[in-house]
Amino acid sequence: MLRGHAILILFFLGCICIPAGSQAQNLPVSQITSKRTLSVEDGLASREVFCAIQDDQGFMWFGTRNGLNRYDGKKTKLFTKERNGLAENKIIQLAKDNNNQLLIVYGSAGFERSVTRIEVMNLATYEIRSLEEAFPGLPFKGKNVYWVANGGGELCFLIDKPFQYWRLTSKGFELKCEMKAWDRLQAADKKWLTAKDNYHKESGPLCQFFKDCALLRVGNDLPGYFCTPQKVEMHTASDGMLIDSNRQLIFSWPQVYRKLNPQTSINALPSIASTYLQGAIYFLSGDYSQSLVYKARDGLYLYDGNTLKRLMLPEELKIASGYGLYSYFIDRQKNIWICTAAGLLKIKQENNRFTHYFTKSQLKDSSDNQVRGIFADEKGQVYAASWNRLWYSFQGKNISASIGLNDIIYGIHRNGDKMYVGELNIFLFDPQDKKVLKKLTDSVLTEIWSLDSLSSEKLLVGTTNAILTYSISRNEISPVTYPNDSIPKAKFVYRFIRRKDNKFWVIAQNGLYLLNEGADQVIDYFGGSSLTPAHRLPFDILLDAYEDEKGFMWFATNGSGLFRWDRTRNTFKHFNSTDGLPSDILYRIESDDNSNLWISTDNGLMRINTKDFTSSSYSTSSGISHNEFNRASSFKATDGRLFFGGLDGVNAFYPNDFNNDKRVSDLPVRIISYSKFSAE
């Protein structure tokens, strides 16, 4: 049974407001939120949407002022009184049973949500029937039902004459509560009369059904009933009540929120609630563990009983007041559908599997924070070369070390317990004096793009126009030698890879170089300009390479896509944007433990499996800080965590967090339309 009920409760607890710019207003980095608004332009029957539900086939159904809409994710289908025989066009509530039946609650034509009638639609045939026809043996009269909702996989019915609360369980209809204190409503003052019946006919939206509990209200002057499987409690302070995720009641006294647990003792709510849940607040609570909280000044929040996470700003809601919020529904894909007087809002909120470092928002700095070199140590501290500054995280704080640097930093590498930084010279980062970079060399070098360890006493150095070694003890820089002039000199050296035979692959922009074990001589070369066909690569600009466990080489290129090279057969397999890559400009390759390659591009991050070549792409909508990454900007930590740098800091993640990514929806496939073409 899907959950289809949501309610609106208005609290008046004084005029204390959430302070502008307060911590509760901002989503943490661990959350990503996407939003979309649907209205008549998208095929809805009306801008005013009262309710939503999802059926077993995955279709969404929306009750509006002008009819019932079925939505397949792209198009809407309209059901109305005139076209399909509905009793009315204003639909204020939807619920669903376990037999593919949709229960439709109709409302009066005015502004109030007063119930006029309830019918049942067979979702297989779209046949409309009465409650008695749909549920043979109904233990009460269908005309006396004034609200239907889903709760904990069951149907909940509220009836009058007399007032009762029933549930349709696996055992059949069960009477849960008789609200005898409400019977005097039949003689209520005329001011409470609605257009077609008494006040209780519009009290359904005030009631809550959460799992196997219910909080029943009919007005401010009469007690509320809190029903659990164990007992029924009456509460005179019914105004301002809410069922939380632990089946406990939250209710209010002036200026204070308290929680009433099943033992009826009073406990104070967490401080965030007492601080921010005061003022005129609307709780929209359905059959879910979270509630929606609205404040006109601050917007719409998700409240889980402990924390508030803002979903929307007030101006994004486009409603005149909180009275324009009607209900919400959370579907099987975790989308939040909010029904309002100004349209239907679809919000997707997920845990962000990407962690950000050194972004503009974190640094509170508008200057350039492009990242090149990255390093992360065993303690979780992250270092990044950002323009002419070295940023590092220390105990959750972002700190900059930039003394003595005037040019761009590219390479970062740790050899032993010492950190080396490449600019136009090599610098030593002193962890004891974290704001100082000590200059080691004084040579006329070009930009140092890459640094790596040859031994505990020697570094490999890749620059814009050379492959070098640096002796730490002697403080000397030496160039590698080339066997002959047929091998071009390396340009833009981006990475060193130690092979199993202790020789080194050198990835340069103009090709792949092989160094001997001592790393003092080039012994082979593969590139687009090679004179030997067996050494010629089918592209001109190389940005990174990786050798997998089977010995295949993978090449990330600038504009030519991705290549896999079978060196034994000297054959190439080519992948580009026509094969689903987000871009043909690929910057950096890192591997995980599941035969996947993670590749940064100028249009997001991609993952490709080296065995079956399936791929996935991730962009800012997936949680990364910026879609454009950089050359020579990645790192794999000892625990398998991957880091990629780009135009807005560093994005870090654990590849195993993506193992359960689904490439196919969990909804059943259903044909919604088709076209037939003949020979003509």
Side-chain angles (χ1 to χ4, degrees):
M1 173 69 69
L2 295 172
R3 302 164 178 175
H5 181 62
I7 65 114
L8 177 67
I9 300 180
L10 174 62
F11 291 75
F12 289 100
L13 293 180
C15 56
I16 300 177
C17 297
I18 299 178
S22 65
Q23 183 180 2
Q25 292 192 30
N26 300 315
L27 285 172
V29 174
S30 61
Q31 295 288 327
I32 51 177
T33 304
S34 61
K35 308 164 189 173
R36 183 185 176 190
T37 302
L38 287 82
S39 191
V40 291
E41 296 84 0
D42 304 282
L44 291 183
S46 171
R47 294 188 187 278
E48 196 167 19
V49 183
F50 294 104
C51 51
I53 200 169
Q54 187 179 33
D55 68 21
D56 292 341
Q57 297 296 325
F59 291 112
M60 292 298 302
W61 293 80
F62 306 120
T64 79
R65 180 171 288 278
N66 295 326
L68 178 66
N69 279 118
R70 189 198 74 177
Y71 181 60
D72 60 27
K74 185 178 180 181
K75 296 181 296 185
T76 57
K77 183 180 179 66
L78 176 62
F79 296 82
T80 66
K81 176 180 179 180
E82 295 76 15
R83 298 169 57 178
N84 308 93
L86 302 184
E88 304 287 348
N89 282 332
K90 182 181 176 182
I91 297 166
I92 60 174
Q93 170 69 346
L94 295 169
K96 185 186 163 299
D97 71 0
N98 291 314
N99 296 312
N100 205 29
Q101 296 188 122
L102 184 69
L103 284 81
I104 305 170
V105 179
Y106 301 105
S108 62
F111 292 105
E112 62 197 16
R113 284 192 284 171
S114 177
V115 180
T116 60
R117 187 173 177 179
I118 298 175
E119 288 187 324
V120 182
M121 174 186 284
N122 185 315
L123 291 176
T125 63
Y126 304 131
E127 177 189 4
I128 303 294
R129 296 186 292 174
S130 67
L131 282 170
E132 286 86 355
E133 291 171 328
F135 300 98
L138 195 70
F140 41 78
K141 295 180 180 180
K143 67 177 183 178
N144 291 343
V145 179
Y146 67 92
W147 199 250
V148 182
N150 288 119
E154 298 174 346
L155 272 178
C156 305
F157 295 83
L158 295 181
I159 69 169
D160 64 1
K161 302 180 181 64
F163 285 99
Q164 293 177 336
Y165 159 46
W166 291 77
R167 289 179 79 104
L168 178 57
T169 71
S170 58
K171 299 177 181 179
F173 284 93
E174 296 182 6
L175 177 62
K176 296 296 182 180
C177 179
E178 293 187 89
M179 296 80 81
K180 295 182 179 180
W182 296 357
D183 288 335
R184 65 186 178 90
L185 265 180
Q186 300 302 315
D189 191 277
K190 291 184 178 180
K191 67 180 181 180
W192 295 116
L193 293 179
T194 63
K196 294 193 176 182
D197 213 316
N198 287 326
Y199 179 72
H200 69 274
K201 287 292 187 178
E202 59 177 353
S203 64
L206 299 175
C207 301
Q208 301 173 55
F209 302 88
F210 175 66
K211 296 183 179 179
D212 52 4
C213 299
L215 178 59
L216 310 177
R217 296 186 58 210
V218 74
N220 296 329
D221 301 327
L222 292 170
Y225 289 80
F226 181 44
C227 307
T228 71
Q230 291 76 33
K231 59 183 177 180
V232 175
E233 297 175 347
M234 291 180 62
H235 297 284
T236 55
S238 60
D239 186 33
M241 285 188 171
L242 184 73
I243 304 176
D244 76 356
S245 58
N246 296 315
R247 297 179 173 86
Q248 297 178 350
L249 272 185
I250 298 173
F251 65 102
S252 62
W253 285 292
Q255 305 300 329
V256 179
Y257 274 79
R258 292 287 187 262
K259 180 177 289 188
L260 182 67
N261 67 21
Q263 286 73 42
T264 70
S265 62
I266 304 298
N267 301 317
L269 284 177
S271 59
I272 191 170
S274 61
T275 303
Y276 297 120
L277 299 189
Q278 297 186 22
I281 303 175
Y282 294 80
F283 281 87
L284 293 92
S285 174
D287 191 19
Y288 314 103
S289 58
Q290 309 100 343
S291 300
L292 295 187
V293 180
Y294 172 74
K295 292 193 73 171
R297 173 178 169 177
D298 300 294
L300 191 66
Y301 292 81
L302 193 66
Y303 177 57
D304 63 4
N306 294 294
T307 59
L308 283 170
K309 298 174 183 176
R310 188 166 67 182
L311 300 179
M312 302 190 77
L313 294 166
E315 58 268 24
E316 294 179 288
L317 285 165
K318 297 181 174 59
I319 55 175
S321 71
Y323 289 105
L325 289 169
Y326 296 133
S327 67
Y328 77 103
F329 181 84
I330 302 177
D331 66 21
R332 298 206 295 275
Q333 290 69 47
K334 307 302 181 184
N335 298 302
I336 305 174
W337 300 86
I338 303 173
C339 305
T340 81
L344 183 69
L345 305 173
K346 178 184 177 183
I347 299 178
K348 178 75 169 183
Q349 188 181 50
E350 301 175 293
N351 290 330
N352 192 354
R353 293 167 289 185
F354 297 97
T355 301
H356 302 160
Y357 294 90
F358 319 121
T359 62
K360 290 184 183 296
S361 61
Q362 291 172 335
L363 300 179
K364 297 180 175 59
D365 189 343
S366 60
S367 60
D368 201 323
N369 67 324
Q370 289 193 47
V371 168
R372 301 293 180 178
I374 304 171
F375 180 79
D377 64 20
E378 293 79 4
K379 297 179 181 179
Q381 288 194 173
V382 180
Y383 304 79
S386 175
W387 219 241
N388 66 339
R389 291 178 294 179
L390 175 66
W391 285 100
Y392 62 96
S393 62
F394 180 71
Q395 295 180 348
K397 298 180 180 179
N398 297 312
I399 303 172
S400 170
S402 58
I403 296 176
L405 297 183
N406 297 313
D407 293 284
I408 301 173
I409 307 174
Y410 290 99
I412 299 177
H413 179 69
R414 187 180 69 180
N415 185 292
D417 59 351
K418 295 182 178 180
M419 183 82 71
Y420 295 89
V421 176
E423 184 216 30
L424 296 182
N425 280 277
I426 299 174
F427 290 77
L428 178 66
F429 175 69
D430 185 356
Q432 301 303 319
D433 189 354
K434 290 183 163 45
K435 291 188 177 181
V436 174
L437 293 175
K438 180 182 178 182
K439 188 177 180 181
L440 300 178
T441 62
D442 194 13
S443 304
V444 182
L445 300 176
T446 52
E447 296 92 345
I448 298 174
W449 284 85
S450 54
L451 295 167
D452 211 327
S453 295
L454 179 59
S455 68
S456 61
E457 290 297 322
K458 189 173 284 190
L459 297 179
L460 288 163
V461 183
T463 75
T464 301
N465 57 14
I467 306 171
L468 309 169
T469 60
Y470 170 68
S471 172
I472 297 172
S473 58
R474 297 195 305 269
N475 195 27
E476 290 181 356
I477 291 179
S478 304
V480 303
T481 61
Y482 292 79
N484 53 62
D485 293 337
S486 65
I487 297 179
K489 301 299 186 290
K491 302 292 184 182
F492 292 94
V493 179
Y494 296 129
R495 193 200 284 261
F496 299 93
I497 301 175
R498 186 188 290 269
R499 305 196 327 174
K500 294 179 181 179
D501 59 3
N502 285 326
K503 297 176 183 178
F504 290 88
W505 287 119
V506 180
I507 293 92
Q509 182 171 294
N510 58 333
L512 184 68
Y513 293 80
L514 183 62
L515 301 183
N516 62 359
E517 189 172 341
D520 56 5
Q521 185 180 30
V522 174
I523 59 176
D524 211 344
Y525 167 74
F526 303 86
S529 60
S530 175
L531 299 177
T532 306
H535 286 65
R536 193 170 298 146
L537 300 179
F539 48 83
D540 295 322
I541 301 178
L542 176 64
L543 297 182
D544 201 12
Y546 171 78
E547 186 173 14
D548 68 22
E549 63 273 13
K550 292 185 177 180
F552 294 120
M553 293 295 297
W554 294 79
F555 298 115
T557 73
N558 184 7
S560 299
L562 179 68
F563 290 84
R564 190 193 70 158
W565 180 29
D566 184 339
R567 293 175 57 207
T568 304
R569 297 181 174 87
N570 195 30
T571 57
F572 294 87
K573 185 172 180 62
H574 185 208
F575 307 86
N576 58 22
S577 55
T578 61
D579 301 299
L581 271 63
S583 173
D584 291 330
I585 300 176
L586 312 178
Y587 291 125
R588 195 77 166 181
I589 303 174
E590 297 292 347
S591 65
D592 65 18
D593 297 329
N594 300 305
S595 301
N596 296 310
L597 300 182
W598 294 82
I599 305 174
S600 58
T601 81
D602 73 340
N603 187 31
L605 184 68
M606 65 166 287
R607 177 185 65 175
I608 186 168
N609 187 276
T610 59
K611 295 180 178 179
D612 60 14
F613 309 134
T614 54
S615 64
S616 302
S617 298
Y618 303 90
S619 64
T620 51
S621 63
S622 309
I624 62 176
S625 60
H626 199 287
N627 281 336
E628 186 171 347
F629 289 88
N630 280 333
R631 293 175 289 168
S633 190
S634 69
F635 183 77
K636 183 176 182 178
T638 55
D639 62 355
R641 196 181 190 198
L642 301 184
F643 298 78
F644 289 91
L647 267 60
D648 191 17
V650 175
N651 292 270
F653 60 94
Y654 290 97
N656 286 343
D657 289 344
F658 296 80
N659 288 346
N660 295 324
D661 278 7
K662 295 181 179 180
R663 295 184 176 91
V664 180
S665 171
D666 60 357
L667 295 173
V669 175
R670 180 170 177 178
I671 296 175
I672 56 176
S673 65
Y674 68 93
S675 299
K676 181 178 180 180
F677 300 91
S678 64
E680 290 80 8

